[in-house]
Amino acid sequence: MNTARYALAVVGTIIFFAIGLVLFFLFSADYGDGLEKTLERAGVTEGEPVFRAPLDYGDDYPSAFLAGLVGFSILFLLAYGLGRFVIAKRAP
Amino acid sequence: MHIPDGLMWPAILGIGWIISISMVWYAVRRTRSPLARERIPLMALLGAGIFVAQMLNFPVGGGTTGHLVGAALATIMLGFAPALLVLTTILLVQCLMFGDGGVTALGLNILNMAVIGCGVSRIIYGSSPDSMKRPSTIAAAWAAVFAGALACAIELGASYWASGGSYGIPMTIALPSMLGYHALIGAGEGILTVGVIAYLRQVLPEIFASPRRQLA
């Protein structure tokens, strides 16, 4: 995959995310996932986290979109960096 | 399916950490190949793409939502060991940067979604004949989610039993509830995974040129 195709893939992913986020806020934002619903049925409430993360996913479209872009960038750089330093350096 | 802090019995958390660290170490050793080195940009892009896809929860009925986990997608595209590293990196960022899943439960979250998800996907997709790749993609994606949910339910029930009710929830609630919800969520995972794979086969056929080599 050359650089142009990677750039196209990044743009495509961000467009997919921008459209998907609209559907998320229209249909899913108010509901919990399978584990959260299971805990709710059992009457268990989540306790305080041991570690307070610096970011969150956001409660509205602009902040969630920004969180997605930030997360996308962090993930790409971290995965690429770890790959270069862990996999590439160790490869025979 | 991200387990928060304070939910599981500490010994169960410890078991999760031991298995996860062992498997991640194994995966790092397995990816020491020229093929994996060539695929580092693809691994990074796939990890970033799965991260944003995981933010997009979809309704599955009964006021419940699910989202793509991506274990089967990553395993089919990269193979078991690189996929395990990609999923682990995603879970690490979700936990440490966005507070999604507890820090103490990170080992169990890696076990349930990355180790079990990628392992089950590898077994189902890798053992299917070439003529059955599309149905086996759906089966692998569904089973990866369902097996992860089964593991999570067992951990919840075992925590409750071992701690005398201080941690976890009763197995009689955990098993039917987790499996019921995730049977539906897994169907969504299957549909999304087969769609993404079909699209990528069209635009990036070279990635799928030698699937047997990738599945190590």
Side-chain angles (χ1 to χ4, degrees):
Chain A
M1 226 162 61
N2 59 30
T3 308
R5 289 172 80 183
Y6 269 109
L8 199 63
V10 169
V11 171
T13 306
I14 291 170
I15 291 170
F16 159 78
F17 178 60
I19 296 168
L21 208 52
V22 174
L23 301 175
F24 167 72
F25 278 107
L26 280 177
F27 299 113
S28 312
D30 296 333
Y31 304 126
D33 69 11
L35 176 58
E36 287 166 349
K37 292 292 284 186
T38 299
L39 297 180
E40 194 181 301
R41 281 177 68 176
V44 174
T45 50
E46 280 190 31
E48 281 297 302
V50 170
F51 166 77
R52 184 71 63 183
L55 303 171
D56 62 46
Y57 291 136
D59 295 325
D60 52 25
Y61 187 93
S63 56
F65 185 70
L66 189 64
L69 288 186
V70 170
F72 182 91
S73 307
I74 292 172
L75 224 309
F76 184 86
L77 293 172
L78 185 66
Y80 191 84
L82 286 176
R84 294 287 293 181
F85 285 100
V86 176
I87 297 172
K89 279 206 168 180
R90 295 174 66 93
Chain B
M1 198 163 51
H2 293 66
I3 299 167
D5 289 319
L7 182 61
M8 298 291 189
W9 190 46
I12 302 275
L13 293 174
I15 292 168
W17 276 110
I18 291 167
I19 297 172
S20 296
I21 290 171
S22 306
M23 289 306 296
V24 169
W25 178 248
Y26 165 81
V28 168
R29 292 181 66 84
R30 287 285 295 186
T31 46
R32 289 165 57 187
S33 69
L35 179 66
R37 192 166 33 190
E38 284 171 17
R39 291 185 172 223
I40 289 170
L42 176 65
M43 288 169 66
L45 185 60
L46 193 62
I50 290 173
F51 172 85
V52 294
Q54 286 197 3
M55 284 180 67
L56 305 174
N57 286 33
F58 52 83
V60 293
T64 309
T65 64
H67 61 73
L68 184 84
V69 174
L73 175 63
T75 305
I76 290 166
M77 289 191 67
L78 301 167
F80 170 74
L84 172 54
L85 297 181
V86 166
L87 265 290
T88 299
T89 310
I90 293 169
L91 290 165
L92 200 65
V93 170
Q94 287 174 332
C95 175
L96 297 180
M97 298 302 295
F98 292 92
D100 196 5
V103 171
T104 58
L106 183 58
L108 280 183
N109 285 326
I110 292 171
L111 172 63
N112 296 344
M113 285 181 270
V115 175
I116 293 175
C118 296
V120 166
S121 302
R122 166 69 181 87
I123 291 166
I124 293 176
Y125 188 82
S127 60
S128 68
D130 287 345
S131 59
M132 295 289 287
K133 286 305 180 197
R134 187 163 291 183
S136 68
T137 298
I138 297 175
W142 182 87
V145 171
F146 195 75
L150 174 63
C152 185
I154 291 170
E155 292 152 10
L156 284 166
S159 290
Y160 185 86
W161 174 78
S163 67
S166 301
Y167 293 96
I169 60 175
M171 193 77 85
T172 49
I173 297 175
L175 263 182
S177 183
M178 284 296 286
L179 296 188
Y181 287 132
H182 287 88
L184 295 172
I185 294 169
E189 176 95 7
I191 292 165
L192 287 172
T193 304
V194 81
V196 173
I197 295 279
Y199 170 73
L200 292 173
R201 272 189 198 280
Q202 293 290 320
V203 296
L204 300 170
E206 68 271 18
I207 291 175
F208 301 92
S210 54
R212 296 289 172 202
R213 283 178 69 201
Q214 297 164 26
L215 286 167

